[in-house]
Amino acid sequence: MAWFDKLKQGLGKTRGIIGANNWEMEWDDLEFALIAADTGAKIAAEVVEETKKEREKGTNFKEALETALLYQLEPDRTRQILRNVGFELDVKRNMVPLKGKIVMVIGVNGVGKTTTIAKLTQYYQAHSKSVMLAAGDTFRAAATKQLELWGERLWAPVITGPDGGDPGAVAFDAAQARKARDFDILFVDTAGRMHTKHNLMEELKKIKKVISKADPDEPKEVWLVLDAVTGQNGLSQAKKFHEAIGITGVIITKLDGSAKGGILLPIVRELGLPIKFIGVGEQADDLQPYDAAAFVHALLDMPS
Ligand SMILES: Nc1nc2c(ncn2[C@@H]2O[C@H](COP(=O)(O)OP(=O)(O)O)[C@@H](O)[C@H]2O)c(=O)[nH]1
Ligand SMILES: [Mg+2]
C-alpha cells in the first residue's frame, strides 16, 4: 500500500470523528471533534474560527476546513502563498536537510526510536549519504541487538558497547568513528527509560555533552520521536524533552494506526517545533518527509 493510503487509512478514525461523511456540520460538533482528535481546546477553537471565516467567503465546508488546518500546520505563510498561486512544492524529491553530521534520537520507551533510525538510514542512503549508527540504548539487552540487525540489513556500521554500559561512552566512540571514517551521518539511538537510580533527562544531557567533546559543535540535531497514539500526552513529553535537552525536530510515528492525528497541530503551533518525518508502518520504507498539505489531504480524504 502506498504511504499516502496507509496514512489515509490510519487517519480514517480521526476523519470519522471530524465527520468526513457529512461535510457540513455544526460548529460545536467540529470543535468537539477536533478536541477528540487531540488538537487541544485552544487550537480547536482557532480552527473553527478560521473555517468560519473561509465559509463566509463562500468556500465550501471541506475546503474551508482544509485552509484552516493548513494555516495551523504550515505557519510558513510563503509556502501557503506559493500554493495559492498554483506553485506546487515537491518535498518528496528534495532531501530533508540536516544541519550537521550527528543526529541524536530521543523519546520515551516504545515510541519507535530504533525503528525510525532504521527508516532514516534507508532514507538518507537513498539520497547518497553514508550512515553510521550508535547503539546508545544500553539499558535494554535486546536494544543493541535490534539496532545491529537493522545495521546488517542496511549495510550501516553500528558502534556498540557492553549491555548496561555507559551510553555516553558509546556515543563518544561513535562520534570519533564517524569523523575518522568520514561518514556523512551518525544517528545515535538512546534509551527511553533508565534504571531508577538514573534520571533519563540527565543521562541524555550527558550524552549530548560527551558527543560535543568528541566532535565540537555536534550534535546539531536532536530529534524527538513521538507516538501519535499517545495523543496529548505526547505534547507534555515534547515540552519536557525540549526544556531539558533542546529539540531541533520531531518525528511522529504510528500515524498508520492512530485516531489522534491532531497532535501535530499543537506541536507545530504551540511548541514551534518543526516536524521532520512521519512514520506510517513498521518497515524500513514506512517513513515520509513531513508535508503539511499531504497530511491535511489524507485527513480530509482529498486527492494527494
Ligand atoms: N504501526 C507502526 N508501528 C511502528 C511504527 N514505528 C515503530 N513501530 C513499532 O513500534 C514498536 C516499538 O518500536 P521501537 O523502535 O523498538 O521503539 P523504541 O523503544 O522507541 O526504540 C515496534 O514494534 C515497531 O515495529 C510506525 O510508524 N507504525
Ligand atoms: Mg529502541
Side-chain angles (χ1 to χ4, degrees):
M1 206 191 312
W3 74 272
F4 184 75
D5 294 319
K6 263 188 208 169
L7 178 61
K8 211 152 117 174
Q9 193 183 56
L11 291 173
K13 292 177 208 160
T14 307
R15 192 161 57 242
I17 306 174
I18 63 173
N21 306 319
N22 169 26
W23 290 111
E24 195 60 75
M25 61 200 295
E26 298 291 329
W27 296 121
D28 283 353
D29 291 342
L30 176 62
E31 189 165 348
F32 178 80
L34 288 162
I35 292 169
D38 269 332
T39 62
K42 185 168 154 272
I43 286 175
E46 281 176 21
V47 171
V48 169
E49 281 318 303
E50 279 292 320
T51 310
K52 270 186 200 168
K53 261 192 240 161
E54 285 300 315
R55 283 291 280 134
E56 277 157 20
K57 294 180 200 162
T59 316
N60 72 43
F61 181 86
K62 195 170 180 174
E63 280 170 17
L65 182 55
E66 177 202 9
T67 304
L69 290 170
L70 267 178
Y71 180 75
Q72 294 284 333
L73 285 167
E74 212 166 69
D76 180 358
R77 299 287 286 173
T78 53
R79 285 185 49 131
Q80 292 180 33
I81 292 160
L82 284 172
R83 202 169 262 123
N84 286 344
V85 297
F87 185 90
E88 269 309 312
L89 293 135
D90 193 352
V91 288
K92 281 167 217 154
R93 216 167 297 161
N94 297 330
M95 188 190 78
V96 174
L98 294 177
K99 276 184 243 139
K101 305 271 187 190
I102 302 183
V103 186
M104 218 176 128
V105 179
I106 64 175
V108 303
N109 229 23
V111 290
K113 291 180 296 302
T114 306
T115 313
T116 298
I117 286 174
K119 295 173 182 178
L120 289 166
T121 300
Q122 175 152 314
Y123 174 84
Y124 282 102
Q125 283 175 337
H127 284 91
S128 307
K129 300 290 176 195
S130 53
V131 179
M132 267 178 77
L133 308 174
D137 181 359
T138 55
F139 173 59
R140 287 185 312 128
T144 296
K145 191 82 211 138
Q146 187 190 357
L147 196 69
E148 277 181 319
L149 282 173
W150 279 118
E152 271 170 37
R153 225 180 288 173
L154 299 166
W155 295 87
V158 184
I159 307 298
T160 63
D163 281 340
D166 176 15
V170 176
F172 185 85
D173 288 351
Q176 283 198 323
R178 188 215 61 80
K179 228 176 4 180
R181 295 163 71 174
D182 198 23
F183 271 63
D184 296 321
I185 307 170
L186 168 68
F187 289 110
V188 180
D189 197 9
T190 62
R193 179 156 30 87
M194 298 304 299
H195 298 278
T196 40
K197 62 183 169 120
H198 289 289
N199 175 287
L200 176 63
M201 298 298 170
E202 290 308 315
E203 197 67 41
L204 292 173
K205 271 190 225 172
K206 224 170 75 189
I207 294 172
K208 195 177 168 193
K209 209 152 119 200
V210 159
I211 291 173
S212 67
K213 277 193 187 135
D215 195 348
D217 300 329
E218 295 283 355
K220 285 219 175 67
E221 301 276 11
V222 179
W223 287 357
L224 176 73
V225 179
L226 284 181
D227 175 344
V229 183
T230 56
Q232 280 278 304
N233 185 24
L235 188 66
S236 59
Q237 282 173 28
K239 276 183 190 152
K240 270 187 220 149
F241 278 103
H242 193 38
E243 276 163 22
I245 327 288
I247 295 164
T248 63
V250 177
I251 297 175
I252 315 273
T253 59
K254 310 190 192 181
L255 273 169
D256 50 313
S258 170
K260 304 291 193 181
I263 188 64
L264 274 77
L265 279 73
I267 295 289
V268 173
R269 284 284 283 181
E270 285 174 21
L271 298 185
L273 292 172
I275 296 169
K276 300 287 184 182
F277 290 91
I278 56 176
V280 292
E282 298 187 88
Q283 303 308 314
D285 57 355
D286 288 330
L287 183 81
Q288 285 298 321
Y290 169 68
D291 176 52
F295 179 79
V296 169
H297 292 164
L299 187 66
L300 298 182
D301 200 14
M302 291 166 120
S304 61

